[in-house]
Amino acid sequence: MSALAFTKLELAAVSRQFKGVTALADFSLTIRNGEFVALLGPSGCGKSTTLNCLAGLLPLTAGAIYLDDERVDLLPPERRGFGMVFQNYALFPHMSVRKNIAFGLQMQRVSRHEIVRKVDWALDLIHLTEHGDKRPNQLSGGQQQRVAIARAIVMEPKLVLMDEPLSNLDAKLRHEMRTELRRLHRELNLTTVYVTHDQEEALSLADRLVVLRNGRMQQAGAPEEVYARPANAFVADFMGYRNQLSMVAGPVEGDPTLTRLSGGGIELVANGTVRGQATVAIRPDGLTLGRTGVNDIPGVVRTVEYQGRDYEIEIEVNETTSLFARINQRVTAGDQVVVNVPRDHVMVYAAGADPEADESRRDPIHERETV
Amino acid sequence: MSSMGTLDLPRVQAPSAQPSWRHRLRDRGIDRLLWLVAPAFLFLVLLFIYPSVYGIVLSFQPMDHSGFLGNYVRFFFDPFLRGTIGHTFSIALPASIFNVVAAIPLALAMRRRKRSQRIVNVLLVTPITLGTVLVAEGLLNYLGPRGWVNRILMGIGLTDKPLPLLHNMWGVIISLIITGFPFAFLLILSYVSGINPAMDAAARTLGAGASQRFFRITLPLLSPGIANTFCLTFVLAFSVFPSATLLGNPSGDSHVLAVAAANAAFQQYDYPLASAISVITAVVELLMIAIVLGLRSRLYSGSTATGKG
């Protein structure tokens, strides 16, 4: 496994412009050997652009990519030795599963005997040994996706790039494949860059999460860190902080570490030193039913969605403000309730610190570059 | 319309093993919409099936009453007539092979360049709209002994006497390329656009160079389209008539099947022989198509995309 022997892959100020639109700006990231990095963001955020730049399918506009000390961004894709799994699988329809998996090895002029051995190994890895002689179109979506993964990893690539590989699968299969991907990553210690717009997928798979918007990195960190402490209101929104309120932040007398927030008919106290116009983000599961004396908000239940383990309810606080809460008690629409939110569950972001905050939170912006 | 039909049905009786006849008809796509094909069907019967059958029957009734197969015997025993098959092949085969082979790289180059694609389309479609005769007239001036091409060739000293580009099979082949290439290109282009570009990207990330990608991915996926395109351009070229008479040497090496049939019909007034020659033309074309499609079926012929993408 000498091909895997590298220490770090470095993207240095990588930019990509597309017909005058910046698809990726000044993107720097260092990926350690064996790391699983997820690039997360809405469509048009630059995550697929990043992946295609890494693969070599799109040239950079500026910046460089280094594999240890070797510069690789000027190499064509066929000489980078990175494996890629495509969103639509891109299996060769005229070749059997075995031939699909063997293709890359044949290109490397691996001996016939060795190809048979490696293809057997890969088929066993993805549990498709019996289907080796079938054509891709005779397989289900999940099986095709596994073949696409096998085709990429049988080459023992230095880096595996995955472009929303599970987005065409149904929910149950997606979950199974997620577990499978995690298993493969652990067993083979594959350095992986994984692109997705699904935050649950990113959180469950990745060692490190990179959130992008409009071609700019918003936050990079461990999943727990990004989930618990989003760097800005955009990341918070993407991480499922469904309650976003525009409030005014002021000081709390006698305690400089606290912030008093008011707006939308609600008064809250939160940690932090933000002052002035602010965006406040609270996760639905940060709210609990009942009165505690701090940050209590009375309201009327408007909608109740049963979610299996708990309920997601919408509480109308007043004419202009509603809050979403995840609770495990049964309530019915029309009930008068009081919810409270602990101080450390209230995220406060200074408005204006983020110039693009108001513009398009779930933006379908620039056309996505497809390869 | 279909919902009306089902609403009007009486309440379903006890479930039976056989679905109702209406459902079975609908299942096979037989409903009132089918009447829309009636005009086309009538047209086909009156203008294609009837004349064809008439011609085939006529071809078996030789004017000299030499028996059922008389015209066919005569065709194959007369070296001048028999030679038309060879002449037609030696014109149609190179022209259609060139058209298809030249269309492939151009179509591949154009697949992602939408703007230049439009320009090329205009350039190529123009000769089709002008018609064979006008193109032939143009070529007479352009390629003739005193045409531009020969004057330039002689002017720069490449030859000292005009090249015989016209009034032989080369003139016909050139004309067939000018009129047939656009068809081949447009058809191949549509087949090329049907191939998911991710195939090429996938092959690249797997280490395949340009020629490996072409021969192992693009060409196999394109081969059904190439076979279809070849059949169409071949049929067009095989029944060549106007350019064979205008640009070729219709009593020599471009004495093709269509010319022979026309001579039989309009010079000798032997309609049965002309019909027999036409039937022979059709049979040879069908044989060629059968061979090409037979080869095609041994290659990959499924979809050119996988996945749900």
Side-chain angles (χ1 to χ4, degrees):
Chain A
M1 296 241 165
S2 60
L4 296 172
F6 75 98
T7 324
K8 62 178 170 45
L9 177 90
E10 191 187 350
L11 291 101
V14 170
S15 296
R16 166 74 195 173
Q17 274 160 10
F18 186 68
K19 288 183 183 160
V21 180
T22 302
L24 188 66
D26 218 15
F27 185 88
S28 294
L29 182 71
T30 303
I31 299 164
R32 293 185 313 277
N33 190 358
E35 201 176 11
F36 196 123
V37 174
L39 304 178
L40 179 65
S43 73
C45 72
K47 56 192 193 300
S48 289
T49 305
T50 312
L51 206 68
N52 286 323
C53 285
L54 270 170
L57 296 168
L58 278 180
L60 312 187
T61 314
I65 302 170
Y66 298 96
L67 194 67
D68 286 334
D69 294 321
E70 186 201 354
R71 186 167 175 182
V72 295
D73 60 281
L74 298 172
L75 294 176
E78 55 267 34
R79 290 183 47 209
R80 291 197 189 186
F82 296 167
M84 183 147 172
V85 180
F86 293 80
Q87 183 174 13
N88 56 17
Y89 321 143
L91 296 177
F92 306 130
H94 57 299
M95 295 183 193
S96 68
V97 167
R98 290 195 73 94
K99 286 192 172 146
N100 262 282
I101 298 174
F103 185 83
L105 298 168
Q106 288 171 343
M107 294 301 113
Q108 286 185 335
R109 301 185 188 283
V110 175
S111 74
R112 191 167 299 176
H113 176 74
E114 191 64 7
I115 289 178
V116 171
R117 192 186 67 77
K118 285 190 173 179
V119 171
D120 284 340
W121 168 81
L123 279 172
D124 183 52
L125 197 70
I126 57 165
H127 310 306
L128 284 180
T129 303
E130 279 96 83
H131 301 280
D133 295 321
K134 286 190 182 166
R135 287 268 169 81
N137 288 335
Q138 294 169 286
L139 302 179
S140 70
Q143 289 171 328
Q144 289 188 34
Q145 187 53 279
R146 268 144 60 196
V147 176
I149 292 165
R151 186 176 67 175
I153 63 180
V154 77
M155 314 265 297
E156 295 167 22
K158 298 172 196 129
L159 181 68
V160 182
L161 306 166
M162 298 198 184
D163 189 3
E164 309 209 20
L166 308 185
S167 60
N168 284 336
L169 304 177
D170 63 62
K172 185 172 171 290
L173 203 52
R174 200 151 61 218
H175 199 154
E176 280 171 24
M177 287 299 296
R178 222 159 71 193
T179 315
E180 198 83 337
L181 280 175
R182 195 66 215 163
R183 174 181 71 88
L184 287 173
H185 178 253
R186 200 184 52 242
E187 281 177 16
L188 306 170
N189 194 36
L190 292 164
T191 314
T192 308
V193 178
Y194 186 100
V195 158
T196 179
H197 61 259
D198 183 88
Q199 107 272 17
E200 206 185 313
E201 212 170 282
L203 287 169
S204 63
L205 282 168
D207 301 320
R208 195 143 55 105
L209 224 62
V210 177
V211 186
L212 285 145
R213 177 180 52 158
N214 291 357
R216 286 171 201 283
M217 190 193 286
Q218 303 294 305
Q219 188 173 8
E224 295 84 353
E225 186 189 322
V226 178
Y227 186 67
R229 284 189 301 281
N232 57 39
F234 170 81
V235 179
D237 182 51
F238 215 77
M239 284 292 127
Y241 288 66
R242 200 173 170 193
N243 300 302
Q244 295 225 346
L245 306 164
S246 184
M247 300 177 98
V248 177
V252 174
E253 266 177 58
D255 194 341
T257 64
L258 296 183
T259 299
R260 178 176 305 283
L261 300 155
S262 62
I266 300 176
E267 296 277 322
L268 291 173
V269 175
N271 298 330
T273 54
V274 176
R275 300 288 179 265
Q277 266 301 317
T279 303
V280 173
I282 307 167
R283 267 194 339 242
D285 57 2
L287 293 164
T288 45
L289 276 188
R291 199 178 284 277
T292 58
V294 188
N295 291 346
D296 293 336
I297 310 159
V300 182
V301 177
R302 279 293 162 230
T303 57
V304 180
E305 280 176 50
Y306 180 53
Q307 309 260 344
R309 196 159 46 92
D310 47 17
Y311 302 87
E312 178 133 343
I313 62 170
E314 184 185 358
I315 301 148
E316 188 180 297
V317 179
N318 53 48
E319 285 101 70
T320 54
T321 310
S322 288
L323 292 173
F324 294 94
R326 250 186 125 91
I327 56 167
N328 45 29
Q329 294 104 307
R330 179 104 178 89
V331 291
T332 38
D335 286 359
Q336 295 275 348
V337 293
V338 176
V339 285
N340 74 84
V341 47
R343 270 206 313 258
D344 51 352
H345 285 177
V346 183
M347 298 289 139
V348 187
Y349 305 101
D354 178 11
E356 290 167 284
D358 298 325
E359 169 211 330
S360 57
R361 211 177 275 146
R362 295 179 190 83
D363 39 6
I365 355 169
H366 4 280
E367 59 189 294
R368 191 179 141 170
E369 289 184 59
T370 46
V371 193
Chain B
M1 189 174 113
S2 57
S3 64
M4 289 267 297
T6 40
L7 281 177
D8 292 342
L9 279 175
R11 298 289 296 174
V12 179
Q13 318 83 336
S16 66
Q18 284 288 316
S20 89
W21 62 271
R22 279 180 184 227
H23 286 132
R24 272 182 290 158
L25 285 182
R26 185 149 299 150
D27 206 35
R28 284 162 205 192
I30 300 170
D31 57 19
R32 273 173 283 175
L33 266 179
L34 214 56
W35 283 110
L36 290 175
V37 305
F41 185 70
L42 194 70
F43 198 78
L44 201 68
V45 169
L46 287 180
L47 292 176
F48 178 71
I49 296 177
Y50 173 72
S52 307
V53 172
Y54 183 87
I56 291 170
V57 172
L58 193 66
S59 75
F60 291 111
Q61 298 166 343
M63 292 214 320
D64 55 4
H65 306 288
S66 54
F68 182 58
L69 287 171
N71 281 325
Y72 294 92
V73 173
R74 189 174 151 202
F75 181 90
F76 284 105
F77 274 88
D78 179 343
F80 189 60
L81 284 180
R82 192 177 54 211
T84 55
I85 294 185
H87 289 149
T88 317
F89 262 107
S90 60
I91 287 169
L93 214 51
S96 36
I97 289 175
F98 177 88
N99 283 344
V100 172
V101 171
I104 295 169
L106 188 65
L108 286 174
M110 288 295 124
R111 78 201 267 195
R112 311 262 299 272
R113 303 192 182 109
K114 293 284 177 239
R115 192 170 303 160
S116 24
Q117 194 176 311
R118 234 169 283 149
I119 297 166
V120 170
N121 283 358
V122 169
L123 282 177
L124 289 177
V125 171
T126 316
I128 306 183
T129 61
L130 292 178
T132 333
V133 176
L134 199 63
V135 170
E137 288 292 335
L139 283 178
L140 284 174
N141 286 319
Y142 182 65
L143 296 177
R146 306 190 55 80
W148 294 1
V149 172
N150 273 318
R151 271 192 284 170
I152 289 172
L153 287 178
M154 288 191 292
I156 57 175
L158 275 174
T159 59
D160 32 325
K161 58 178 180 197
L163 288 180
L165 295 170
L166 289 177
H167 304 300
N168 55 30
M169 60 178 259
W170 291 108
V172 189
I173 291 176
I174 291 169
S175 154
L176 286 175
I177 286 170
I178 290 173
T179 50
F181 180 75
F183 282 110
F185 169 73
L186 292 176
L187 273 168
I188 297 270
L189 184 65
S190 74
Y191 285 110
V192 165
S193 332
I195 298 177
N196 183 352
M199 299 291 155
D200 200 61
R204 296 196 81 175
T205 61
L206 291 166
S211 70
Q212 285 163 321
R213 295 200 299 276
F214 177 75
F215 286 109
R216 309 214 25 182
I217 309 295
T218 312
L219 196 59
L221 292 178
L222 204 53
S223 58
I226 293 174
N228 289 350
T229 310
F230 176 80
C231 286
L232 280 171
T233 50
F234 178 78
V235 167
L236 281 176
F238 202 75
S239 52
V240 58
F241 178 71
S243 48
T245 39
L246 292 169
L247 295 167
N249 171 16
S251 53
D253 64 0
S254 54
H255 184 236
V256 292
L257 282 155
V259 171
N263 287 346
F266 304 117
Q267 288 179 6
Q268 301 158 20
Y269 300 103
D270 190 344
Y271 281 42
L273 179 63
S275 300
I277 297 174
S278 304
V279 170
I280 290 165
T281 312
V283 169
V284 174
E285 282 176 1
L286 288 174
L287 277 175
M288 190 69 188
I289 291 173
I291 291 169
V292 172
L293 296 188
L295 286 174
R296 188 193 83 168
S297 68
R298 302 181 64 186
L299 301 165
Y300 174 72
S301 60
S303 124
T304 49
T306 51
K308 298 178 186 173

